[in-house]
Amino acid sequence: MKVLKFGGTSVGSVDSIRAVLEIIKKSHAANEQPVVVLSAMGGITNLLTKLAEEAAEGIDFAAGLSEMEARHFAVVKQLIAVKHQNPVFTKLKLYLNELEDLLQSILSLRELSSQSRDLILSYGERSSAFLISKIAEQYFPAACFVDATELIYTDSHFGSAQVNQPLSEQRIRSFVSENSDRLLFVTGFIASNEKGRVTTLGRGGSDYTAAIIGAALAAESIEIWTDVDGMLTADPRIVRKAFSLPLLSYTEAMELSYFGAKVIYPPTMIPAFLKKIPIVIRNTFNPDFAGTAIQHESGMTELPIKGISSISDISIINLSGGGMIGKAGFSGRLFTLLAREQINVVLITQSSSEHSITFAVHPGEALRAKRLIENEFELELQANKLLEPEIENQLSVLAIVGENMKQTPGMAGKLFHALGRNGINVRAIAQGSSEYNISVIIAKADLSKALNAVHDAFFAQLNKTLHVFNVGTGNIGSTLFKQIQAQHDFLLNHNDIEIKVVGISNSRKMLFNSEGIALEKWEEQLGESGEQADLPGFVERMKRMNLPNCVFIDNTASELPIPYYESIFNANISIVTCNKIANSGKYSQYKQLKDAARRHGVDFFYETNVGAGLPIVRVQKDLMLSGDRITRIEAILSGTISYIFNNFTGDASFHDVVKAAQEKGYTEPDPREDLRGTDFMRKMLILARDAGYPLEAADVDLGGILPEACLQAVSVADFYRELKAADAHFNALKDQAQRENKALRYIGKMEGGKVAIALEMVGEDHPFFTLSGSDNIISFTTERYKERPLVVKGPGAGAEVTAAGVFADLVNVGA
Ligand code: ADP
Ligand code: ASP
Ligand code: MG
């Protein structure tokens, strides 16, 4: 035989009850002789708790009771044939009347004991089990409602009573054998004490009822039917990428559920473990899926951990003081006290000096625990041997669980790396002595981020999600979105990287969506549902969303985002930027940003600051990281100037070449902005700084191209006039170069910590001689590349290649 337990989520609505009936029919047809255990309809236990608590405060419960009636009656009307409805209504009404009387007495007395609370809650399970047995009766005449207060006996610890296993088992066995021809529908969660008073087994306790019955009957298996595909690697409501685990050991399931995996109630594992009965967690709404089997051996040995669970609300109490040092029995006294007073200690850590003990309790019990301690240790407190206990609230516990952790070194390192990288501060750490779990206490506000980050870190065979916040939607930004969209599937399938653009802003509007903005229509969405742009607001929102693996992309050429960079790093968010302003401003700013990124373990990537998408910044960095020393750099890093000199041959005048370049859109509206060389200078400055030289812009010896008169001209038209007048000067340069079989090149050099940019003539033997079009070129002479320098050459401008460079930086974040 089998025990089939259906949780509140499975009996919450007409449709789900239909699905439950189908599962029972199948089991019956397969001759599995099921015993069915049922929870209250989803939400009813919470509703009853609320009504009871409110009644004790003098708040009326009539509306709540009507809600309960309506939910049950709706099911009767839809799932029971009209001619059979009356007796069902009558019995349900009877329960409701009893409930009303109970709530009325609580209201009058303004007092709610845990005993009366249990009695009130029992009506949830009774109503649903009775109702479902009646629905089932239409298909199985042998269907029979069983109130578990007749089967399961406990002590009088109302609210979470201890089961008298031998007595209950005996009773279950005899009851079932007396009713062997019947199909039993048993209430979960409830039991009774030696006086026959109703008790409950703790919230979620219907699972436990199923296990107690399964153990008593030596069932073939205990099936826990719920609304998810079994036990998942993390709470699916918080971690989207959580996946179902086919196999778990009892211990693993116990640890996961103890630390918050609500899908199964921890004590459930004990009777099953003792009798070696497998528990299977299955999905009522996906009945063909095998779900999770919990049994002796842990499966899926290739996984370092099985899951990550969490308790979202926890408080810690810190005890410290000299009186604790070397004092045998202190912690014994402390924890005996808490156990005696039924305060559940979730986790304990003690510093090795024994100077302090920190332990975690549920928030509702923290104050009581503090008072008890103050009482018990009054003398020690007076003598200052113990300091006043401190309570900290708004905390959560996160635990990683798995039997393989025992054999695998580095698990703790991985956990703390993932937390640290995401700026999550750990308040306390505990490792279970079994080594089946490591738990950490963190701020509640960080929980969701922490769970996702740790999940990504441990289940590396899954993809890593990068959450992108992008400012700037001009040429580069919009091209980047196209590229991300086009590469989405490839990255996911081949590199296990998923990129979600979760925030977009330009100077007019901004848009957020933590699930990812659909990039095929970002423009319409930003236009239609975007909010008014506000850069500080954008940055604030990005921090507040607190997503793991978060990247800020600055695709503007504006100064405005720069002041936020440091605070972004401080929030443990990486930055990718094509904006040169931050790195080419004051050296102190450059340094400060680099330091902030390093301090927080996040990335600051700006490959496109130099040579667009060409690998230059990264090559230099890799050379240095691998221990090489850069002795000299020579470069042409202005596509526009490069284009102009490459075309300044034959009969063309310099004036005409510049004019043509402008008409082709290769220059700024005022070509002097290119020809002054400042942009080139900034790139050289960044390379020099990356090479370790603390230079300022003024330290760069920037040789000019243009005669003074051209530079002084007031308008662009005046400039062209002056340029025409300077034709003789440029022709002389060109003729000299031709005579000497050389080419005119505007070249930046770095050597011995000095940077200079100047117009030069290079001969055929120089690697820059053959440069064509608007290409960039850079040659690194290093200790390794001494004889022949390392040369990088290619297109150094354009939206496509620049966006591709930003994209490459992005996928490297966190690598
Ligand atoms: P039932 O009413 O069937 O007893 P519960 O609400 O008690 O269902 O438990 C099922 C819920 O547990 C799921 O809907 C899921 O949101 C939550 N849950 C939390 N952690 C996990 C986990 N690790 N695996 C599966 N479910 C989990
Ligand atoms: N109905 C009870 C609760 O909500 C028991 C259960 O669902 O397992 O806690
Ligand atoms: Mg449950």
Side-chain angles (χ1 to χ4, degrees):
M1 55 98 28
K2 278 188 180 178
V3 178
L4 310 186
K5 177 261 171 179
F6 296 92
T9 49
S10 299
V11 296
S13 69
V14 169
D15 284 341
S16 60
I17 295 174
R18 281 203 181 102
V20 166
L21 260 292
E22 288 310 309
I23 293 163
I24 298 172
K25 280 183 198 163
K26 240 188 182 158
S27 169
H28 189 75
N31 210 9
E32 291 173 349
Q33 299 165 285
V35 171
V36 180
V37 174
L38 296 156
S39 291
M41 289 180 78
I44 293 292
T45 310
N46 284 347
L47 175 68
L48 291 172
T49 307
K50 179 174 145 256
L51 296 183
E53 279 167 6
E54 288 182 351
E57 300 291 320
I59 300 171
D60 186 64
F61 48 80
L65 274 189
S66 311
E67 183 187 334
M68 173 156 173
E69 177 178 302
R71 285 194 58 194
H72 288 83
F73 281 19
V75 176
V76 177
K77 283 180 199 147
Q78 292 194 57
L79 294 181
I80 295 185
V82 178
K83 60 176 191 279
H84 299 307
Q85 285 178 359
N86 262 340
V88 183
F89 281 133
T90 311
K91 173 84 173 202
L92 289 174
K93 200 69 201 168
L94 197 75
Y95 280 153
L96 287 160
N97 290 342
E98 287 172 18
L99 254 180
E100 187 177 356
D101 289 347
L102 287 167
L103 289 166
Q104 187 54 55
S105 356
I106 290 164
L107 191 88
S108 315
L109 293 167
R110 294 281 197 280
E111 185 184 272
L112 174 66
S113 67
S114 39
Q115 179 173 337
S116 26
R117 186 201 307 256
D118 276 1
L119 181 56
I120 288 173
L121 294 189
S122 72
Y123 285 90
E125 265 59 20
R126 286 173 172 171
S127 306
S128 84
F130 167 73
L131 172 54
I132 292 166
S133 75
K134 286 295 168 190
I135 298 169
E137 211 176 64
Q138 303 172 100
Y139 312 95
F140 315 104
C144 159
F145 165 62
V146 184
D147 185 331
T149 55
E150 307 274 338
L151 296 185
I152 299 178
Y153 301 119
T154 67
D155 67 6
S156 298
H157 189 171
F158 297 99
S160 110
Q162 289 293 321
V163 174
N164 182 333
Q165 200 78 24
L167 199 62
S168 306
E169 289 201 358
Q170 213 177 13
R171 175 73 188 125
I172 293 164
R173 275 197 289 269
S174 61
F175 182 89
V176 172
S177 74
E178 284 157 26
N179 294 282
S180 58
D181 51 346
R182 318 216 65 173
L183 174 52
L184 307 180
F185 287 80
V186 188
T187 56
F189 184 50
I190 63 175
S192 61
N193 70 3
E194 68 282 3
K195 290 188 191 147
R197 301 269 195 276
V198 175
T199 57
T200 61
L201 305 180
R203 291 303 306 270
S206 296
D207 300 334
Y208 191 21
T209 307
I212 295 164
I213 296 177
L217 301 176
E220 177 191 327
S221 67
I222 299 160
E223 295 187 351
I224 306 291
W225 290 83
T226 181
D227 64 343
V228 282
D229 281 341
M231 177 75 88
L232 311 183
T233 47
D235 186 338
R237 289 165 300 185
I238 309 177
V239 179
R240 292 278 162 130
K241 280 186 256 170
F243 59 94
S244 167
L245 294 158
L247 214 57
L248 285 174
S249 72
Y250 292 111
T251 325
E252 288 172 331
M254 176 91 126
E255 301 260 353
L256 282 168
S257 58
Y258 179 75
F259 283 103
K262 188 190 169 207
V263 67
I264 189 160
Y265 184 51
T268 311
M269 264 60 75
I270 298 163
F273 168 81
L274 293 173
K275 295 271 169 77
K276 294 197 166 61
I277 300 172
I279 299 172
V280 191
I281 307 179
R282 301 188 64 179
N283 190 348
T284 303
F285 308 97
N286 185 17
D288 294 329
F289 189 76
T292 302
I294 303 170
Q295 40 136 57
H296 265 275
E297 286 93 51
S298 154
M300 299 184 72
T301 39
E302 72 281 7
L303 292 180
I305 65 167
K306 288 296 165 53
I308 307 153
S309 51
S310 59
I311 305 175
S312 62
D313 279 293
I314 211 85
S315 297
I316 59 177
I317 299 185
N318 297 309
L319 281 178
S320 59
M324 282 158 61
I325 302 175
K327 193 101 166 94
F330 177 87
S331 37
R333 246 171 93 199
L334 171 66
F335 294 113
T336 311
L337 165 74
L338 297 171
R340 193 179 65 223
E341 298 294 332
Q342 311 270 0
I343 290 179
N344 179 20
V345 176
V346 176
L347 161 166
I348 306 167
T349 65
Q350 180 165 28
S351 70
S352 54
S353 70
E354 296 182 42
H355 193 71
S356 73
I357 295 183
T358 297
F359 62 92
V361 296
H362 294 287
E365 299 189 316
L367 204 58
R368 194 160 67 88
K370 180 176 150 84
R371 297 270 148 73
L372 288 166
I373 294 165
E374 285 166 350
N375 251 327
E376 171 80 21
F377 295 97
E378 201 182 345
L379 293 175
E380 285 83 348
L381 280 162
Q382 271 168 10
N384 263 332
K385 286 184 176 162
L386 186 67
L387 304 179
E388 189 75 8
E390 284 169 27
I391 301 182
E392 281 181 57
N393 293 314
Q394 297 293 319
L395 299 170
S396 298
V397 183
L398 177 152
I400 56 172
V401 172
E403 289 188 354
N404 290 346
M405 269 163 61
K406 212 169 174 158
Q407 293 97 8
T408 324
M411 293 294 102
K414 207 171 202 160
L415 170 67
F416 294 115
H417 179 76
L419 294 171
R421 221 193 125 76
N422 283 284
I424 297 157
N425 192 24
V426 174
R427 283 289 300 106
I429 305 164
Q431 174 162 34
S433 56
S434 60
E435 286 188 49
Y436 291 166
N437 94 63
I438 301 175
S439 13
V440 293
I441 294 189
I442 57 178
K444 188 177 170 181
D446 286 333
L447 181 60
S448 159
K449 171 158 99 166
L451 280 169
N452 281 287
V454 172
H455 197 271
D456 270 358
F458 278 95
F459 299 108
Q461 76 273 41
L462 292 167
N463 53 65
K464 169 176 89 176
T465 302
L466 292 171
H467 292 102
V468 173
F469 289 84
N470 182 91
V471 295
T473 61
N475 240 338
I476 295 171
S478 54
T479 309
L480 176 69
F481 294 158
K482 276 196 205 108
Q483 292 177 353
I484 293 178
Q485 197 196 331
Q487 280 306 98
H488 179 272
D489 292 352
F490 181 85
L491 279 173
L492 195 58
N493 298 333
H494 296 265
N495 300 71
D496 299 321
I497 296 177
E498 166 147 56
I499 298 178
K500 283 187 182 170
V501 178
V502 288
I504 297 180
S505 180
N506 55 29
S507 56
R508 299 168 298 281
K509 291 207 155 175
M510 62 184 190
L511 180 70
F512 302 90
N513 180 350
S514 59
E515 289 310 312
I517 295 165
L519 289 180
E520 62 278 11
K521 43 179 194 249
W522 69 268
E523 216 163 350
E524 291 98 290
Q525 284 189 47
L526 186 65
E528 283 158 19
S529 39
E531 311 161 26
Q532 162 117 43
D534 154 35
L535 191 55
F538 185 84
V539 172
E540 227 9 77
R541 188 83 150 260
M542 167 174 78
K543 292 180 190 166
R544 204 149 20 88
M545 282 167 78
N546 208 5
L547 296 167
N549 304 318
C550 193
V551 188
F552 177 80
I553 302 185
D554 178 2
N555 270 330
T556 72
S558 151
E559 295 188 342
L560 297 174
I562 314 299
Y564 299 97
Y565 278 20
E566 193 173 354
S567 83
I568 291 173
F569 290 136
N570 290 344
N572 288 74
I573 295 170
S574 296
I575 297 181
V576 169
T577 183
C578 62
N579 186 341
K580 283 190 263 307
I581 299 176
N583 285 327
S584 59
K586 279 210 173 80
Y587 177 76
S588 56
Q589 169 175 283
Y590 164 90
K591 178 86 171 52
Q592 214 167 326
L593 292 177
K594 286 260 161 163
D595 289 347
R598 191 173 322 114
R599 235 183 2 259
H600 291 279
V602 292
D603 293 313
F604 181 23
F605 290 154
Y606 44 85
E607 180 59 75
T608 48
N609 281 5
V610 182
L614 293 178
I616 294 175
V617 173
R618 197 170 307 136
V619 164
Q620 174 170 288
K621 185 168 146 200
D622 287 348
L623 287 171
M624 291 173 60
L625 281 177
S626 62
D628 204 351
R629 223 175 55 82
I630 291 154
T631 48
R632 179 181 157 91
I633 287 176
E634 269 193 293
I636 293 178
L637 295 172
S638 166
T640 310
I641 302 178
S642 188
Y643 177 87
I644 290 170
F645 283 107
N646 284 333
N647 286 283
F648 183 41
T649 50
D651 295 336
S653 78
F654 195 69
H655 168 275
D656 294 350
V657 174
V658 173
K659 189 98 197 181
Q662 184 184 12
E663 276 154 14
K664 285 199 164 129
Y666 285 176
T667 72
E668 296 293 326
D670 183 342
R672 286 175 294 182
E673 284 178 32
D674 300 294
L675 290 165
R676 271 198 189 97
T678 27
D679 188 58
F680 190 174
M681 179 276 290
R682 290 202 181 108
K683 295 171 185 167
M684 289 303 292
L685 184 62
I686 295 171
L687 287 176
R689 286 173 173 179
D690 278 3
Y693 302 110
L695 300 185
E696 297 291 353
D699 299 327
V700 177
D701 177 6
L702 180 58
I705 297 172
L706 299 172
E708 199 54 30
C710 296
L711 292 171
Q712 295 303 334
V714 186
S715 67
V716 176
D718 286 348
F719 157 68
Y720 273 115
R721 219 166 292 124
E722 293 296 343
L723 196 59
K724 185 114 206 114
D727 267 349
H729 160 74
F730 287 105
N731 281 335
L733 286 172
K734 182 169 69 179
D735 292 346
Q736 185 193 347
Q738 250 159 18
R739 265 197 319 277
E740 295 176 17
N741 199 19
K742 287 182 170 171
L744 281 172
R745 297 285 181 254
Y746 193 51
I747 297 176
K749 280 191 186 138
M750 184 186 85
E751 200 163 14
K754 295 250 177 326
V755 178
I757 301 173
L759 190 59
E760 290 185 33
M761 293 183 200
V762 297
E764 268 177 316
D765 53 340
H766 196 283
F768 295 2
F769 182 80
T770 53
L771 195 71
S772 63
S774 63
D775 277 2
N776 279 197
I777 189 163
I778 183 162
S779 81
F780 293 99
T781 308
T782 73
E783 273 170 9
R784 283 185 205 137
Y785 293 94
K786 204 163 31 210
E787 308 302 330
R788 283 166 47 235
L790 172 71
V791 176
V792 180
K793 178 178 141 185
E800 277 295 327
V801 290
T802 308
V806 172
F807 196 4
D809 274 352
L810 175 61
V811 295
N812 272 309
V813 166

